[in-house]
Amino acid sequence: MVIFRQILRVRLKYILIAVIVCGTMSLFKIQKFTYTPRNTENYPILIWWTPFIFENKKLISCEDRYTCVVTKNRSLEFDVAAYLFYGSNFKEDDLPLPKKNIPWAIFHEESPKNLPFFLYEEGQHLFNITSTFSRDSSLPLVLQYLEDLQLITDTTYYVNLKQKNKLLKQISPVLYIQSDCETPIERDLYVSELMKYIAVDSYGSCLNNKRLPEQHSVNKILTNLYDEDFMKFVAQYKFTIAIENSICNDYVTEKLWRPLIAGSIPIYWGSPTVTDWLPNNQSAILIEDYKNASHLADYIKSVNTNDKLYDSYMEHKLSGRVENQLLKDKLKGGSYGIMNNKYFPVPAFECFVCKSMYERYSSNNNRNRSVYKCEQPKSRDTKRENWWISHWKYGQCQAKALSYLIETLNVSNYTKEVFDKQIEFYLSNGYC
């Protein structure tokens, strides 16, 4: 329990930072970064171009071998070794231009809907170092919501099946709590259909049919994704709907890990590669395995009424068994699946860039490889178009405009008006 509380404190600190400011080597341009510091501290300077740290300036030591200055002070640009960008705060008209032989490194843990231009290779190629949820990033964050394997097998919140069955007199078998109702995947459309065939307690602002207990405010949950009281609340439910906001390889969030940690069966839809990361072959019910919501509901009902079948989904809790060797190896290598990592992902990213400056980080020239593999949004409702489709399209125009201005023209600066006109040119001529 003490360990788990420490994890939550670290996560809380990270999310508060995010609120204030809101693996595999990347296969992009061939570049070797040779850095000779001229500052009095004699360490490489990493500038967060999009402010993302409390401190104006700090000294970091990584692996007891690499030391760098990390700052948000742009006046130190004269001696910068690398620029750091936080994806969700990236501003297309506020960049360190012209782009010289100084690496750009981006940290973007969110889904593509927050940074649509980065869906496309023209946008990705602006960055020499990437850190995203994708395993194809320079520093992958696939397991950014799971610090260690012990959380999967820990029974702190686990409610035994006998007690869960008794609770069915008071609650539905299925839990749904979501407050982001407009998503590329259009999850509410599917859940509303599922609710026609099986009882679902929906506590968020989306499809709400039940009032969330006062101690579990949505804001509190968003601030602390694994709040202890809320984890106990989730653990009472036999099933939890876990649908991501986008369909991308490796985009696996707390929506999956929270019920797995609490001891509720996830009803999952999102990452096509999710089976690469599940603790065991039968750890979640995958929506895509069923023809429609009616068929899925029938299966959930069969699991709900068959104690032996239900417990087969709880092997990680009942016997502490995790068979997924990839998952075990990644978490054994370091916290959050980051090799040799003892930190939360943001400090790990800073250290990765710092280390890269010392080791003359290089990347290969292979523009056929994309960091992301994401499915374009579809209109699942025949009566209205999914507006995220145009969002994806606009992102492609943004990527083309950025590439043209920064790489082709190598401009020293440009205004938002110039950037917008370039996007309009691509849109009006059908280039995206």
Side-chain angles (χ1 to χ4, degrees):
M1 179 64 73
V2 173
I3 294 174
F4 198 80
R5 286 174 178 166
Q6 290 172 344
I7 294 169
L8 298 182
R9 282 197 292 270
V10 174
R11 176 163 294 281
L12 177 59
K13 178 180 178 181
Y14 168 67
I15 291 175
L16 285 174
I17 294 173
V19 169
I20 289 173
V21 300
C22 346
T24 305
M25 299 299 274
S26 177
L27 304 179
F28 296 146
K29 306 173 201 172
I30 295 177
Q31 285 192 344
K32 289 189 176 180
F33 311 124
T34 304
Y35 175 75
T36 304
R38 302 191 301 276
N39 60 83
T40 55
E41 292 167 310
N42 210 38
Y43 299 124
I45 294 176
L46 313 180
I47 295 180
W48 274 104
W49 193 259
T50 47
F52 195 59
I53 54 175
F54 285 118
E55 308 93 334
N56 184 55
K57 182 178 176 184
K58 65 182 179 180
L59 203 63
I60 61 171
S61 179
C62 309
E63 299 181 19
D64 299 322
R65 295 176 58 193
Y66 311 102
T67 303
C68 288
V69 175
V70 179
T71 181
K72 57 185 176 182
N73 185 355
R74 295 184 181 184
S75 68
L76 297 178
E77 248 194 300
F78 72 93
D79 201 18
V80 63
Y83 292 107
L84 311 184
F85 299 87
Y86 177 57
S88 292
N89 267 31
F90 187 88
K91 294 182 178 179
E92 294 85 352
D93 58 344
D94 178 21
L95 300 170
L97 299 174
K99 194 173 188 296
K100 304 172 185 176
N101 191 32
I102 296 173
W104 286 15
I106 186 168
F107 180 92
H108 187 54
E109 84 287 16
E110 297 285 354
S111 80
K113 77 184 186 75
N114 293 39
L115 195 68
F117 82 83
F118 199 68
L119 278 160
Y120 302 93
E121 292 178 27
E122 296 101 324
Q124 295 169 13
H125 291 156
L126 297 173
F127 303 93
N128 311 96
I129 299 173
T130 61
S131 186
T132 78
F133 57 79
S134 168
R135 73 184 79 185
D136 293 322
S137 301
S138 311
L139 181 68
L141 305 173
V142 184
L143 299 175
Q144 61 177 308
Y145 294 96
L146 183 65
E147 183 172 10
D148 60 58
L149 196 65
Q150 180 186 344
L151 296 174
I152 295 294
T153 57
D154 183 87
T155 56
T156 298
Y157 306 112
Y158 179 72
V159 176
N160 66 60
L161 184 53
K162 184 177 180 180
Q163 181 61 25
K164 281 182 180 176
N165 286 334
K166 287 182 179 178
L167 286 169
L168 291 176
K169 296 178 181 178
Q170 306 168 34
I171 60 177
S172 298
V174 183
L175 168 67
Y176 183 58
I177 178 165
Q178 194 58 56
S179 293
D180 184 1
C181 308
E182 294 292 334
T183 59
I185 201 172
E186 294 187 328
R187 59 186 161 216
D188 279 2
L189 285 177
Y190 189 89
V191 176
S192 62
E193 184 67 17
L194 182 66
M195 293 170 79
K196 295 176 183 178
Y197 306 103
I198 192 168
V200 176
D201 286 347
S202 180
Y203 291 93
S205 56
C206 308
L207 305 178
N208 179 268
N209 62 16
K210 206 161 187 178
R211 185 174 180 178
L212 192 66
E214 291 184 7
Q215 67 269 32
H216 305 307
S217 70
V218 172
N219 287 338
K220 182 180 178 182
I221 297 167
L222 291 175
T223 302
N224 188 347
L225 298 177
Y226 299 129
D227 173 76
E228 289 190 24
D229 287 337
F230 185 63
M231 293 297 284
K232 293 174 183 176
F233 177 75
V234 173
Q236 299 177 91
Y237 282 85
K238 298 183 74 171
F239 308 89
T240 298
I241 296 174
I243 303 179
E244 309 290 4
N245 63 45
S246 301
I247 300 177
C248 299
N249 284 6
D250 298 331
Y251 183 58
V252 180
T253 72
E254 84 287 347
K255 291 176 182 64
L256 174 72
W257 301 119
R258 184 189 283 141
L260 283 173
I261 292 170
S264 177
I265 299 177
I267 301 170
Y268 184 82
W269 182 23
S271 171
T273 58
V274 68
T275 53
D276 289 351
W277 307 108
L278 290 174
N280 300 303
N281 288 334
Q282 193 159 295
S283 294
I285 296 173
L286 304 182
I287 290 176
E288 286 201 321
D289 288 345
Y290 299 89
K291 183 179 179 180
N292 52 44
S294 174
H295 288 173
L296 173 62
D298 288 342
Y299 183 71
I300 295 171
K301 290 175 184 176
S302 67
V303 178
N304 186 44
T305 56
N306 185 327
D307 288 356
K308 185 177 180 179
L309 181 56
Y310 185 90
D311 278 343
S312 69
Y313 282 88
M314 287 289 137
E315 282 296 310
H316 56 291
K317 296 298 185 187
L318 296 175
S319 64
R321 180 172 60 85
V322 173
E323 292 183 341
N324 187 329
Q325 196 59 47
L326 176 62
L327 179 65
K328 290 193 287 187
D329 289 345
K330 284 291 184 182
L331 291 171
K332 185 178 180 181
S335 297
Y336 303 102
I338 302 172
M339 185 60 67
N340 300 320
N341 179 50
K342 298 178 182 178
Y343 314 104
F344 199 72
V346 172
F349 168 69
E350 293 173 337
C351 274
F352 182 86
V353 178
C354 178
K355 180 180 177 180
S356 299
M357 297 305 99
Y358 282 89
E359 296 189 345
R360 298 179 66 179
Y361 176 88
S362 64
S363 52
N364 298 324
N365 188 19
N366 184 348
R367 291 191 176 240
N368 295 320
R369 181 76 170 266
S370 174
V371 171
Y372 285 165
K373 293 181 179 64
C374 296
E375 180 182 301
Q376 184 169 325
K378 301 174 183 176
S379 293
R380 304 178 193 280
D381 185 350
T382 56
K383 297 180 181 179
R384 67 184 182 105
E385 183 178 77
N386 184 342
W387 74 271
W388 289 100
I389 296 174
S390 59
H391 187 69
W392 251 239
K393 181 179 179 180
Y394 187 78
Q396 187 177 20
C397 288
Q398 284 182 311
K400 288 182 179 296
L402 284 168
S403 179
Y404 178 70
L405 293 169
I406 296 171
E407 294 194 309
T408 304
L409 297 184
N410 194 30
V411 297
S412 297
N413 197 8
Y414 61 82
T415 64
K416 187 177 186 303
E417 182 181 11
V418 168
F419 180 65
D420 289 343
K421 283 184 178 179
Q422 193 63 37
I423 292 175
E424 180 58 35
F425 170 78
Y426 289 128
L427 279 171
S428 60
N429 287 278
Y431 292 138
C432 46

